[in-house]
C-alpha cells in the first residue's frame, strides 16, 4: 500500500497548474498628436485573478491600471450586451488618470483616456490591423 501511495505521488500532480492568459490590443489616437498604446489584460482562471496595464509606443515602462467598474447594457434582445469598463491609472504611486472602454462581444467600439491633472480627454480607436502578441506586444 505504501509503495502504491508513493507511486501515485510521483505520477499525479500535487497542485493544479494554471496558465495566465494574456490579451494584447493596440490603440491609436483619433485626433491631434500621434499617440499609440498597447492595452494588456492578464487572467488566471484558477485563482480568478486579473490585471491590466498600458504601455505607450514611446515608452519602455508599462503603467498599471486598477479596475474601477463595469456596467452592462442591453441594446437589443438578439445582440451581445454592451459593456463599459473603467480602469484607474496608477503611476509612481499616484492616481493620474482613467481609461474607459466600450465593447460589445469581441469588438471594442471606443477607448478614452482622461488625464486627472489637466482634465484633458483623449479618444482612441483599436487598430485591428496591427500585429500583436503577448511576446512582442504591438509592432509600431
Amino acid at each position: 500500500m505504501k509503495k502504491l501511495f508513493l507511486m501515485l505521488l510521483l505520477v499525479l500532480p500535487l497542485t493544479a497548474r494554471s496558465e495566465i492568459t494574456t490579451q494584447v490590443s493596440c490603440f491609436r489616437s483619433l485626433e491631434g498628436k500621434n499617440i499609440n498604446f498597447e492595452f494588456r489584460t492578464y487572467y488566471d482562471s484558477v485563482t480568478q485573478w486579473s490585471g491590466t496595464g498600458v504601455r505607450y509606443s514611446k515608452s519602455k515602462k508599462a503603467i498599471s491600471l486598477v479596475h474601477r467598474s463595469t456596467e452592462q447594457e442591453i441594446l437589443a434582445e438578439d445582440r451581445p450586451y454592451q459593456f463599459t469598463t473603467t480602469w484607474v491609472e496608477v503611476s509612481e504611486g499616484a492616481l493620474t488618470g482613467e481609461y474607459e472602454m466600450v465593447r460589445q462581444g469581441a469588438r471594442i467600439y471606443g477607448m478614452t483616456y482622461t488625464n486627472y491633472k489637466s482634465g484633458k480627454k483623449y479618444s482612441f480607436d483599436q487598430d485591428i490591423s496591427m500585429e500583436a502578441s503577448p511576446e512582442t506586444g504591438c509592432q509600431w
Side-chain angles (χ1 to χ4, degrees), residues 13-112:
L14 293 175
T15 60
R17 184 171 178 258
S18 68
E19 187 172 318
I20 295 177
T21 57
T22 306
Q23 184 176 4
V24 180
S25 299
C26 307
F27 290 88
R28 294 185 181 276
S29 59
L30 292 176
E31 69 277 325
K33 297 181 193 176
N34 184 24
I35 303 170
N36 305 315
F37 69 87
E38 68 181 42
F39 185 87
R40 288 180 175 254
T41 56
Y42 306 93
Y43 183 69
D44 182 333
S45 60
V46 172
T47 63
Q48 303 292 303
W49 172 86
S50 65
T52 310
V54 297
R55 187 179 63 80
Y56 285 84
S57 62
K58 297 182 190 251
S59 176
K60 294 188 186 302
K61 189 176 177 183
I63 302 168
S64 297
L65 303 181
V66 177
H67 180 262
R68 171 181 278 166
S69 64
T70 298
E71 297 174 11
Q72 69 180 23
E73 185 179 356
I74 301 172
L75 300 178
E77 289 294 323
D78 60 340
R79 302 280 320 248
Y81 291 169
Q82 177 174 290
F83 293 92
T84 302
T85 306
T86 304
W87 293 270
V88 177
E89 179 180 63
V90 181
S91 182
E92 298 179 17
L95 304 179
T96 53
E98 72 180 33
Y99 293 80
E100 184 177 88
M101 176 191 292
V102 177
R103 66 180 171 83
Q104 188 176 26
R107 179 85 168 106
I108 298 171
Y109 287 98
M111 174 71 91
T112 59

Side-chain angles (χ1 to χ4, degrees), residues 1-11:
M1 185 69 157
K2 191 175 187 178
K3 286 184 180 181
L4 179 62
F5 179 72
L6 289 174
M7 184 82 96
L8 287 173
L9 281 177
L10 293 173
V11 176

